[in-house]
């Protein structure tokens, strides 16, 4: 199966919904198909927040375990991917709260080792994310990278859609101004090439 993307087709959504129903009915082995379908995009999302491969692997595993344990609560009012991202969002917020300065220092030392990049844009995205607050990081990733709608983001982050749109516009303005002052943008090309619209 190819990785799922936000805004998935009706056919793909129907397939996921059918698998979910099979798992709810007791076919635990079918949950593996859900993991395979979403693990890559979930790993990328978590990595951009945690910026550590080992912590990201642990977080993704924990998110899928929690999703399995809570699957009986999933209702088809939202897409399964949005429901999963909401779970990931809250898990990552809790993880970031628990991290101490000492752990950040240890993790920084570990990250100095040569590791494969998540994507070719990883250094640029990481630089932008380092300048942002945790909620701004999630908003940028959910909109620009995962391409969720403001309504879906509102559901994931527990805010109003209009509020999400307004926050994103302010965030976009902040990033564009910051990059233009650094000389990293010419007529909006930086933003367009990095998915900030």
């Amino acid at each position: 199966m190819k990785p799922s993307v936000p805004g998935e087709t009706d056919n793909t959504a129907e397939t996921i919904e059918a698998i979910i129903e099979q798992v709810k009915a007791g076919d635990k082995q079918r949950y593996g198909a859900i993991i395979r379908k979403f693990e890559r995009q979930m790993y990328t999302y978590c990595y951009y927040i945690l910026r550590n491969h080992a912590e990201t692997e642990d977080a993704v595993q924990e998110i899928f375990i929690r999703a399995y344990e809570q699957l009986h609560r999933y209702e088809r009012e939202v897409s399964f991917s949005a429901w999963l991202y909401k779970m990931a969002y809250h898990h990552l917020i809790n993880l970031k709260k628990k991290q101490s300065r000492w752990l950040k220092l240890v993790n920084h030392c570990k990250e100095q080792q040569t590791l494969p990049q998540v994507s070719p844009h990883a250094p640029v995205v990481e630089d932008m994310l380092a300048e942002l607050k945790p909620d701004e990081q999630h908003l940028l990733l959910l909109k620009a990278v995962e391409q969720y709608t403001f309504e879906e983001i509102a559901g994931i982050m527990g805010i109003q859609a209009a509020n999400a749109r307004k926050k994103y516009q302010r965030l976009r303005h902040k990033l564009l101004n910051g990059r233009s002052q650094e000389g990293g943008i010419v007529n909006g090309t930086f933003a367009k090439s990095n998915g900030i619209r």
Side-chain angles (χ1 to χ4, degrees):
M1 288 185 175
K2 65 180 182 177
S4 175
V5 292
E8 57 202 12
T9 63
D10 288 343
N11 192 22
T12 304
E14 289 299 322
T15 302
I16 290 297
E17 294 298 329
I19 293 170
I20 290 167
E21 290 306 315
Q22 291 169 358
V23 174
K24 284 182 176 181
D27 188 354
K28 297 175 183 179
Q29 297 299 317
R30 292 294 288 148
Y31 192 67
I34 293 173
I35 293 172
R36 287 188 297 276
K37 187 152 189 70
F38 293 100
E39 69 183 335
R40 183 176 176 89
Q41 69 191 69
M42 191 58 52
Y43 185 92
T44 301
Y45 175 62
C46 292
Y47 178 78
Y48 280 132
I49 298 299
L50 298 173
R51 299 169 79 172
N52 177 286
H53 289 280
E55 285 185 19
T56 298
E57 288 173 6
D58 291 344
V60 170
Q61 184 177 15
E62 183 65 27
I63 289 162
F64 280 115
I65 290 170
R66 289 185 182 190
Y68 177 78
E69 291 171 348
Q70 299 297 316
L71 198 60
H72 64 280
R73 294 185 175 191
Y74 168 69
E75 298 290 333
R76 205 169 170 177
E77 296 166 5
V78 296
S79 69
F80 179 76
S81 65
W83 183 80
L84 187 62
Y85 269 89
K86 182 174 185 173
M87 189 164 292
Y89 168 76
H90 288 290
H91 182 67
L92 292 172
I93 289 290
N94 289 336
L95 279 181
K96 292 301 275 185
K97 285 178 183 176
K98 291 177 183 175
Q99 285 183 335
S100 67
R101 288 184 179 177
W102 183 81
L103 281 176
K104 287 181 183 178
L105 179 62
V106 170
N107 291 334
H108 177 71
C109 293
K110 287 180 183 176
E111 285 297 306
Q112 297 306 310
Q113 300 170 3
T114 305
L115 293 169
Q117 283 189 353
V118 173
S119 84
H121 302 294
V124 176
V125 174
E126 286 179 16
D127 287 346
M128 286 193 306
L129 290 174
E131 302 169 12
L132 304 177
K133 299 174 191 169
D135 273 359
E136 291 175 329
Q137 292 175 347
H138 287 282
L139 182 59
L140 179 63
L141 288 171
L142 291 170
K143 183 62 180 161
V145 178
E146 300 299 335
Q147 299 179 354
Y148 276 106
T149 65
F150 288 113
E151 289 74 20
E152 290 171 318
I153 292 170
I156 291 168
M157 295 182 69
I159 58 177
Q160 297 295 320
N163 193 7
R165 184 183 304 273
K166 194 176 291 184
K167 283 185 174 190
Y168 185 74
Q169 288 169 348
R170 282 195 297 258
L171 176 57
R172 183 179 177 273
H173 182 72
K174 174 181 174 179
L175 289 171
L176 291 175
N177 283 344
R179 289 293 166 182
S180 64
Q181 290 172 3
E182 293 173 15
I185 183 168
V186 178
N187 297 327
T189 52
F190 175 85
K192 289 177 185 170
S193 68
N194 289 287
I196 302 172
R197 295 183 201 96

